[in-house]
């Protein structure tokens, strides 16, 4: 699963991102197969309650403080899914695949994507927005790796609020 799809699902359905951002409704389901890369037979069976549970599970990975805790959370979640490595011959090439029970396919795809991110990239680049009115998650792709906000909108809002606070304390 692409990580931007994972971020979109957690922010769209997660209880805490929706509470903090005052969004009571969940987004339309849309074409989940397209976004996640999962088979349509799997995504067609997904309901809003499934996605809320999924989002809250993955949100925990992002709120786990520090790499050790994140590794432990992902590792623990991997023990809950029925998943095994596999291989297949496709178009004359042997390719890496994996078998998973259809019920676990969404969570397994997300955990494998996070495993890749933590193993192959900087493991510190998972974040939760620090703005007071937001708990959206993000993956920090900035060169310096010091991102603290989910979006420019939140960054600007926090900047404006801190500017107002400074002005009040100066007068
Ligand atoms: Zn934000």
């Amino acid at each position: 699963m692409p990580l931007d799809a994972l971020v979109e699902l957690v922010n769209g359905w997660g209880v805490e991102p929706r509470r903090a951002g005052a969004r009571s409704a969940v987004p339309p389901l849309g074409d989940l197969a397209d976004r996640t890369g999962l088979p349509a037979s799997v995504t067609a069976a997904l309901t809003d309650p499934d996605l809320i549970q999924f989002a809250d599970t993955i949100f925990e990975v992002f709120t786990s403080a520090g790499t050790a805790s994140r590794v432990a959370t992902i590792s623990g979640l991997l023990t809950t899914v029925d998943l095994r490595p596999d291989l297949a011959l496709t178009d004359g090439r042997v390719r890496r695949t994996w078998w998973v029970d259809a019920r676990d396919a969404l969570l397994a795809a997300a955990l494998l994507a996070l495993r890749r991110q933590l193993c192959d990239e900087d493991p510190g680049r998972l974040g939760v927005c620090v703005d007071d009115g937001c708990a959206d998650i993000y993956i920090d792709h900035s060169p310096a790796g010091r991102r603290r906000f989910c979006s420019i909108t939140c960054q600007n809002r926090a900047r404006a609020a801190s500017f107002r606070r400074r002005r009040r304390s100066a007068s």
Side-chain angles (χ1 to χ4, degrees):
M1 167 186 314
L3 281 171
D4 55 348
L6 178 151
V7 166
E8 211 183 300
L9 292 178
V10 171
N11 293 340
W13 277 268
V15 167
E16 182 53 22
R18 284 192 293 122
R19 188 203 60 78
R23 300 186 297 265
S24 53
V26 295
L29 280 166
D31 195 347
L32 288 174
D34 248 14
R35 285 188 280 164
T36 59
L38 291 167
S41 56
V42 166
T43 56
L46 291 169
T47 61
D48 284 328
D50 292 335
L51 286 169
I52 290 169
Q53 193 190 17
F54 163 79
D56 289 348
T57 303
I58 297 300
F59 187 70
E60 260 177 58
V61 174
F62 282 74
T63 54
S64 301
T67 302
S69 163
R70 279 180 185 157
V71 166
T73 306
I74 296 170
S75 175
L77 287 168
L78 277 166
T79 66
T80 69
V81 292
D82 197 356
L83 170 77
R84 66 175 161 79
D86 204 353
L87 74 172
L89 187 61
T90 316
D91 302 328
R93 275 194 58 193
V94 183
R95 294 173 202 273
R96 234 178 252 118
T97 63
W98 35 280
W99 178 91
V100 65
D101 188 281
R103 277 172 317 181
D104 297 333
L106 179 66
L107 182 58
L111 294 173
L112 290 176
L114 289 169
R115 184 180 70 145
R116 194 177 332 110
Q117 168 70 24
L118 263 69
C119 295
D120 300 348
E121 310 288 333
D122 180 347
R125 287 185 172 237
L126 310 184
V128 180
C129 186
V130 297
D131 185 66
D132 291 338
C134 185
D136 279 9
I137 63 162
Y138 60 83
I139 311 276
D140 183 356
H141 297 294
S142 69
R146 274 186 293 222
R147 185 167 158 187
R148 295 187 308 128
F149 297 94
C150 70
S151 63
I152 298 288
T153 312
C154 279
Q155 187 175 7
N156 287 343
R157 189 170 51 214
R159 256 192 208 143
S162 112
F163 176 74
R164 281 194 302 272
R165 271 196 303 276
R166 276 200 307 276
R167 279 210 8 188
R168 264 202 305 277
S169 56
S171 61

